[in-house]
Amino acid sequence: MAPVPDVDTAHYDVAVLGGGNAALCAALTAREAGARVVVIESAPRHFRGGNSRHTRNFRCMHTGPTPLLSDTYTEDEFLSDLIQVSGGNTDETQARAVVRASAGCPEWMQRFGVRFQAPLRGTLHLARTNAFFLGGGKALMNRYYAAAERLGIHVLYDAEVVGLELGDGHFRAATVREGGRDRTIRAGAAVIATGGFESNIDWLQEIWGAAAGNFIIRGTPYNTGRLLRLMLDAGAQSVGDARECHAVAVDARAPKFDGGIVTRLDCLSLGIVVNRHAERFYDEGEDFWPKRYAIWGTLVARQPDQIAFSILDAKAAGQFMPSVFPPKAAGSIRELATQLNLPAENLEATVGAFNRAVRPGTFDHAVLDDCRTVGLNPNKTHWAQRIDTPPYWAYPLRPGITFTYLGLKVNERAQVLMTGGEPARNIYAAGEIMAGNILRKGYIAGVGMTIGTVFGRIAGEEAARHAAR
């Protein structure tokens, strides 16, 4: 391998802008290809890793049981799941490439010390489709950064890219601000892996208006979208709708930023969800939770004051992974409504109408069962059980944004496409900043990590190849 430049040297073969999963996959791949690599991470060292710090699993196709995954999850089924949740709004060629490449990713990740745990069972229904990281996303990123250090990859922390020197679709340098001082980092190729713009409240308010002030940002506060804005201003093509995002229902008591996975609520399909008027507004049992959890943030965002409440009874106890915050609990629906500042008569009427509409069935949360309601608008199509067994529980809900889908359009080589249709010669993108090529709405659990890993490796390989030329 070529020698790594020292701290005072400002020229590299590959500059990776970003510090999460996609960025490190690109950096490790480029370094193994012989490139001198720098990773420019805007967060301080203890917050490195972007949203990847909060992940837990990786969606992966496989043709038979493995130590990490049960049964099978074929290429066609994985692709079908992607197409279904996105409503067909995807680049199917790139989506299929991601699905196929996912099969070899766990072995590649393990080469760098990443460890997985045995398949999980329960509410999430993921033992067959998703491999879980031992220690979660934080452990994953620590393993990657340790591998980067062993390989001699230079990492800059607290280093924000505030400017790009481009010419005719060609990256020349990045202006990096460290400790109030600007410096120039030159490289033969750049990989942009800086996530979406979800932590930029001003940008969110441009799209959502004042409602965005009630949004909770589940992940890093460092995903401001600066690189996305710089690239779009420089003539890069965009992909995806600015209003679309991975947004889940989180506990309304969560912190504004960086609450992570523990603030998510997975109980919504086990009861009913009402707005501040104590009215239901969507089918809580539409499909398995991993295919629907990422629509609930947007659903709550469209409700008055961007607030909703998950209402459960004692039958749901032990069937879901609870939030880090305890539920509100009461001996009656009226008492629960009082605690939530909801109109008590309305909540009692909503619960009563729901209970009367429930039809007999065999409850089984592991399948799309026959427990449903009839005569409601909306009906609950699966897992409908009467809410009649105290104590009654409630969780307050807010929209929790993970990442935004507006991003950079890329080709199958991860090259950023410019407005004229031509690919940038030495600018590549990976991760959330380009995930909209494959997923422009909806979500299935773990697929963001899959996209980031696959396109991170592609971008790193292509960037190293270009720099070598």
Side-chain angles (χ1 to χ4, degrees):
M1 291 184 183
V4 176
D6 61 33
V7 173
D8 297 324
T9 303
H11 192 284
Y12 297 81
D13 296 323
V14 176
V16 178
L17 315 182
N21 171 64
L24 268 291
C25 288
L28 292 167
T29 301
R31 183 61 182 146
E32 287 204 317
R36 297 169 300 168
V37 180
V38 61
V39 171
I40 303 171
E41 165 65 291
S42 62
R45 189 180 190 280
H46 55 281
F47 278 129
R48 69 188 181 187
N51 287 339
S52 305
R53 290 184 296 116
H54 296 299
T55 59
R56 294 183 297 179
N57 56 78
F58 175 92
R59 185 166 287 256
C60 182
M61 69 156 281
H62 56 107
T63 57
T66 76
L68 308 179
L69 296 153
S70 63
D71 201 10
T72 64
Y73 189 46
T74 66
E75 175 184 326
D76 287 342
E77 185 180 2
F78 190 162
L79 184 64
S80 175
D81 286 343
L82 263 176
I83 292 172
Q84 179 188 357
V85 298
S86 66
N89 194 3
T90 183
D91 182 321
E92 190 168 332
T93 299
Q94 290 190 19
R96 188 175 290 277
V98 166
V99 169
R100 286 177 175 171
S102 72
C105 286
E107 182 179 356
W108 182 86
M109 298 160 88
Q110 288 172 315
R111 282 180 43 215
F112 297 103
V114 176
R115 300 175 66 187
F116 293 89
Q117 61 189 47
L120 298 179
R121 301 187 181 278
T123 303
L124 296 180
H125 313 294
L126 294 175
R128 191 172 63 86
T129 59
N130 291 48
F132 277 70
F133 310 124
L134 185 64
K138 182 74 170 179
L140 170 85
M141 295 312 304
N142 284 344
R143 294 285 184 172
Y144 279 162
Y145 273 101
E149 184 177 356
R150 289 195 303 272
L151 291 172
I153 294 171
H154 187 198
V155 180
L156 305 179
Y157 296 110
D158 266 324
E160 184 180 11
V161 177
V162 296
L164 295 174
E165 183 183 332
L166 309 176
D168 298 324
H170 190 271
F171 173 86
R172 296 193 176 98
T175 301
V176 179
R177 185 162 296 162
E178 296 178 274
R181 181 177 67 90
D182 290 354
R183 63 182 295 199
T184 299
I185 302 292
R186 298 190 176 278
V191 176
I192 301 175
T194 51
F197 63 90
E198 63 277 358
S199 60
N200 188 329
I201 303 300
D202 290 340
W203 196 343
L204 292 176
Q205 287 182 326
E206 289 178 22
I207 299 159
W208 287 88
N214 288 325
F215 293 175
I216 290 170
I217 315 307
R218 300 174 67 212
T220 177
Y222 298 96
N223 280 7
T224 63
R226 185 187 284 265
L227 264 293
L228 175 59
R229 190 78 92 173
L230 287 173
M231 286 299 298
L232 295 178
D233 290 346
Q237 284 191 52
S238 67
V239 66
D241 184 340
R243 286 184 66 88
E244 293 292 343
C245 53
H246 179 300
V248 308
V250 299
D251 197 297
R253 298 162 289 182
K256 184 68 173 178
F257 293 98
D258 233 7
I261 196 73
V262 296
T263 65
R264 191 179 94 190
L265 288 164
D266 293 328
C267 57
L268 279 62
S269 60
L270 291 164
I272 62 173
V273 179
V274 301
N275 61 21
R276 66 187 300 268
H277 302 304
E279 299 167 341
R280 291 177 62 246
F281 53 90
Y282 199 80
D283 177 1
E284 302 90 348
E286 185 177 36
D287 205 340
F288 287 122
W289 189 237
K291 296 181 182 180
R292 286 295 178 269
Y293 78 97
I295 69 171
W296 276 93
T298 302
L299 291 171
V300 174
R302 292 172 178 157
Q303 297 306 304
D305 298 331
Q306 296 73 55
I307 188 78
F309 304 87
S310 175
I311 310 296
L312 310 155
D313 74 359
K315 294 191 292 295
Q319 296 194 53
F320 64 95
M321 190 154 30
S323 165
V324 68
F325 302 98
K328 300 287 186 179
S332 69
I333 294 298
R334 177 168 286 270
E335 181 187 349
L336 192 65
T338 300
Q339 289 192 44
L340 301 174
N341 292 317
L342 292 176
E345 295 81 3
N346 289 12
L347 187 59
E348 285 182 324
T350 295
V351 172
F354 178 81
N355 287 347
R356 290 190 296 273
V358 172
R359 293 297 174 262
T362 303
F363 178 84
D364 187 347
H365 206 215
V367 301
L368 295 173
D369 68 13
D370 60 350
C371 293
R372 60 190 178 92
T373 65
V374 173
L376 298 180
N377 185 22
N379 275 307
K380 185 174 181 181
T381 50
H382 303 287
W383 312 306
Q385 297 187 100
R386 290 171 57 87
I387 300 172
D388 59 5
T389 308
Y392 301 99
W393 289 355
Y395 291 94
L397 309 173
R398 287 281 188 197
I401 294 187
T402 309
F403 65 92
T404 45
Y405 285 173
L406 177 69
L408 300 175
K409 191 171 181 61
V410 300
N411 62 18
E412 68 281 357
R413 295 172 56 195
Q415 289 176 291
V416 174
L417 300 180
M418 308 305 286
T419 50
E422 74 285 358
R425 284 178 289 174
N426 67 341
I427 308 174
Y428 306 86
E432 291 171 2
I433 200 168
M434 52 67 60
N437 289 269
I438 295 158
L439 203 64
R440 293 167 200 169
K441 67 176 184 177
Y443 195 73
I444 45 174
V447 76
M449 290 296 288
T450 310
I451 295 170
T453 302
V454 171
F455 266 87
R457 294 175 65 188
I458 293 170
E461 182 179 354
E462 294 289 338
R465 182 179 293 121
H466 179 92
R469 289 199 299 266

